[in-house]
Amino acid sequence: MPPAVAVASAPMRGGEGTKASAAMLLLALSYAAAMLMLFLCAGGLGLSSGSGSGLVGRRPAAPMPPGSVYRSHLMFEHLLPDMRASASRPNPLMTTHYKKSGKRWVPCISKRMAQSALPPSNGFLVVEANGGLNQQRISICDAVAVASLLNATLVTPAFHLNSVWRDSSKFGDIFDEEHFIKTLQKHVRVVTELPEDVSAQFDHNISNIPNMRTKAFSSHSYYLEKVLPKMLELGAVRIAPFSNRLANSVPSNIHALRCLANYEALRFSVPIRILADNMVGRMIKKSSLTGGKYMSVHLCFEEDMVAFSCCIYDGDWKENIAMENARERSWRGKFHRPGRVINPEANRRNGRCPLTPLEVGMMLRGLGFDNTTSLYVASGKIYNSEKYMTPLRQLFPLLQTKETLTSPEELAQFKGHSSRLAALDYTVCLQSEAFVTTQGSNFPHFLMGHRRYLYGGHAKTIKPDKRKMVLLFDNPDIRWDRFKHLMQDIRRHSESKGFGFRKHDGSIYNLPMPECMCQQAEA
């Protein structure tokens, strides 16, 4: 028996036992109080951050730089009376910010692509698309381009069941498979599955097809020199995963094929299109105060997005535990790797933290959008929704989401399928008068490109500089007129006009000009 246990269990008499018991109780209470103070200090200062680095009890030697700490809720309380009283006439949605140049840009994919009979196929290309809806789009469109490079027959991509997205949807559940194949038939052969004789060579198991583990952003010459010989040898090759496996710098005809796949061939499945079109119609009807025009916002404030950012908002023990659990659930061990340093304060200063719904609301009010603005919010399940969404609804009472625009019965068929739900959001945002992006991700990346393709080269997007925003939100005592002035200045330097050309290494999915669009004189 260890000595400590032996002493504790030894019988004592009278006052001696009472004094010893009191001393031990005092010692235990002191230890508990010390550990509690250590936890609160570390958590309150953001030193724990759920990064796996452990609790650190030291305090910073000097005040943290401006913009390091989330204090936007204090600014909201200070400015709320002014925001409620303010009104903008006319509403910015009713005015145009886009000057006509005498020429407009229009889609012209067909002019960039050769129309000739397809030569015999060199074999079958099997790929696995991973990630959410728009990461899957990258995989699909790049697979079409690679199939063309290899003169291969593409098998409609399989979707990887991701630990974050948790969506078991197949290609045909999200996209119109028949339309996809028909649109591409003059340029790339596409089939829904391997022919029986080819499948039999691999025991009817695609996992038996050799996996060409390709590096991200591989050049088109890599596919011709490394992948094509293996395809000619075996009759089929597999590449998994396939997200971002083709370089942005490719011949112009390959870019045009990417655009054909993305903007023309990939349309959503019939059930998604029917409900999404109804949602757009309802949104227009609810926007009577602004002539049927509405604004859309993509909020990246789901629990997994907040957890992945390693940013601190409340900073209390409940948030710390929730974020640590979310990180371990979706990215087991990633945030505990040796040498990994996580600095929430630096993340915020560098504009890497998702804007909260409260911050988005203040930003839009500062830009002149008042409570007559119809606002559609595209998102998954917002983290701590009741707390964070209430301020946004206070500022924009005409706010709608897919849950408010549809009945439970209409939405039931899509529940549990995040990519199908994202397709509904994508369609409503695509048709909005203006779009607001709050965090870099594939959703706004693709949507901005699609909007440029539809609207003569203009994305009609508000993309704030979050490094400037966090400095502005770190001044709770700012006057309303000063806040509005600074917000307008931030907008002037943002991508609010959205007009731009793709650079050599830029993404065609975000900037379809000039490869997929041509200038045309105004009538």
Side-chain angles (χ1 to χ4, degrees):
M1 181 179 291
V5 177
V7 171
S9 59
M12 295 185 180
R13 292 178 296 181
E16 180 183 356
T18 302
K19 291 178 181 178
S21 299
M24 292 185 67
L25 178 60
L26 181 61
L27 180 62
L29 289 173
S30 299
Y31 176 80
M35 292 303 295
L36 179 61
M37 289 299 297
L38 179 62
F39 178 84
L40 291 176
C41 288
L45 293 171
L47 299 173
S48 175
S49 78
S51 65
S53 58
L55 296 174
V56 182
R58 63 180 178 83
R59 293 180 180 275
M64 286 180 285
S68 299
V69 179
Y70 178 78
R71 299 202 295 166
S72 302
H73 58 296
L74 302 177
M75 176 182 280
F76 176 82
E77 294 171 1
H78 172 65
L79 293 180
L80 183 58
D82 292 307
M83 290 190 289
R84 280 177 166 166
S86 69
S88 298
R89 296 293 184 271
N91 190 295
L93 287 178
M94 302 292 288
T95 60
T96 179
H97 300 282
Y98 313 106
K99 296 180 180 180
K100 294 183 178 180
S101 61
K103 290 185 177 181
R104 63 191 183 99
W105 286 84
V106 296
C108 61
I109 298 173
S110 59
K111 293 182 180 180
R112 312 289 193 192
M113 302 176 65
Q115 298 288 337
S116 59
L118 291 173
S121 175
N122 287 326
F124 292 87
L125 176 63
V126 178
V127 303
E128 185 179 279
N130 54 310
L133 174 68
N134 292 289
Q135 195 168 348
Q136 290 168 346
R137 291 180 80 106
I138 294 175
S139 299
I140 295 166
C141 298
D142 283 357
V144 170
V146 170
S148 177
L149 279 170
L150 301 177
N151 186 33
T153 300
L154 175 66
V155 180
T156 49
F159 293 159
H160 174 65
L161 185 59
N162 186 276
S163 62
V164 177
W165 298 100
R166 305 180 188 94
D167 189 339
S168 60
S169 298
K170 309 299 182 186
F171 188 99
D173 296 323
I174 302 173
F175 301 107
D176 187 331
E177 198 164 28
E178 182 179 349
H179 176 78
F180 180 74
I181 295 172
K182 185 177 180 180
T183 303
L184 295 171
Q185 64 185 356
K186 293 182 179 179
H187 307 282
V188 176
R189 294 182 181 87
V190 184
V191 295
T192 57
E193 59 185 9
L194 287 172
E196 173 63 26
D197 59 328
V198 178
S199 181
Q201 294 177 32
F202 303 99
D203 296 328
H204 302 285
N205 184 352
I206 63 170
S207 296
N208 292 333
I209 302 174
N211 187 8
M212 303 288 291
R213 293 196 175 276
T214 307
K215 293 182 180 179
F217 301 106
S218 292
S219 67
H220 64 286
S221 59
Y222 168 86
Y223 285 96
L224 294 173
E225 296 168 7
K226 301 295 184 181
V227 179
L228 181 57
K230 185 64 70 173
M231 175 179 287
L232 292 172
E233 175 189 347
L234 301 173
V237 295
R238 179 169 63 98
I239 305 177
F242 194 71
S243 178
N244 294 309
R245 288 306 186 267
L246 180 62
N248 287 328
S249 179
V250 295
S252 60
N253 65 307
I254 298 301
H255 277 314
L257 193 54
R258 278 170 153 170
C259 287
L260 179 66
N262 187 38
Y263 302 124
E264 305 295 341
L266 275 183
R267 74 179 185 188
F268 294 124
S269 62
V270 172
I272 292 175
R273 291 207 313 274
I274 290 174
L275 182 55
D277 289 345
N278 286 338
M279 291 169 64
V280 171
R282 293 166 192 173
M283 198 66 208
I284 292 172
K285 287 183 180 179
K286 292 178 180 291
S287 307
S288 58
L289 293 177
T290 49
K293 297 178 179 180
Y294 63 91
M295 171 176 282
S296 61
V297 176
H298 180 229
L299 275 182
C300 277
F301 207 72
E302 298 88 349
E303 183 179 68
D304 62 309
M305 293 299 297
V306 177
F308 188 81
S309 73
C310 295
C311 296
I312 292 176
Y313 294 92
D314 285 342
D316 61 11
W317 65 272
K318 287 184 179 179
E319 181 180 281
N320 287 342
I321 292 173
M323 294 299 99
E324 173 65 13
N325 289 340
R327 281 189 280 267
E328 282 303 295
R329 185 169 57 248
S330 298
W331 303 280
R332 296 186 186 280
K334 179 173 183 176
F335 296 88
H336 294 273
R337 291 173 184 168
R340 173 140 193 173
V341 177
I342 296 175
N343 189 329
E345 293 80 16
N347 285 352
R348 182 166 177 81
R349 292 194 304 272
N350 292 329
R352 295 174 182 168
C353 293
L355 292 178
T356 65
L358 177 151
E359 290 173 323
V360 173
M362 289 196 294
M363 175 187 75
L364 293 179
R365 277 306 191 94
L367 292 175
F369 297 96
D370 61 20
N371 60 6
T372 66
T373 303
S374 289
L375 190 68
Y376 181 82
V377 172
S379 72
K381 183 179 179 182
I382 296 296
Y383 168 63
N384 204 349
S385 175
E386 184 175 352
K387 172 182 178 177
Y388 285 109
M389 285 298 290
T390 297
L392 183 58
R393 293 185 185 279
Q394 284 181 273
L395 297 177
F396 293 95
L398 301 181
L399 184 152
Q400 301 290 337
T401 65
K402 52 184 169 289
E403 289 79 14
T404 63
L405 279 180
T406 62
S407 67
E409 293 75 21
E410 287 177 313
L411 213 53
Q413 61 182 313
F414 304 109
K415 287 292 186 181
H417 299 287
S418 59
S419 290
R420 299 187 219 180
L421 292 170
L424 297 175
D425 280 339
Y426 187 96
T427 304
V428 181
C429 291
L430 185 64
Q431 301 297 329
S432 64
E433 177 67 14
F435 172 65
V436 182
T437 174
T438 63
Q439 181 78 354
S441 70
N442 284 319
F443 187 101
H445 182 85
F446 265 81
L447 193 70
M448 288 170 67
H450 206 155
R451 289 169 64 83
R452 287 185 172 107
Y453 187 79
L454 292 179
Y455 303 132
H458 294 289
K460 295 187 175 182
T461 298
I462 296 173
K463 185 180 179 182
D465 185 336
K466 290 195 291 180
R467 287 173 295 184
K468 294 181 179 179
M469 294 281 289
V470 295
L471 295 175
L472 182 55
F473 288 144
D474 200 19
N475 184 5
D477 298 322
I478 193 171
R479 299 191 317 276
W480 172 238
D481 57 347
R482 176 64 176 163
F483 177 78
K484 287 194 299 180
H485 174 77
L486 293 175
M487 280 305 313
Q488 293 291 341
D489 184 60
I490 288 176
R491 181 180 183 179
R492 278 190 292 270
H493 292 87
S494 78
E495 289 191 23
S496 59
K497 293 186 177 181
F499 195 90
F501 294 90
R502 192 188 74 85
K503 296 181 180 179
H504 178 70
D505 58 347
S507 169
I508 196 73
Y509 304 120
N510 185 250
L511 292 163
M513 299 186 300
E515 285 88 354
C516 303
M517 301 181 73
C518 303
Q519 272 195 308
Q520 179 177 300
E522 293 282 0

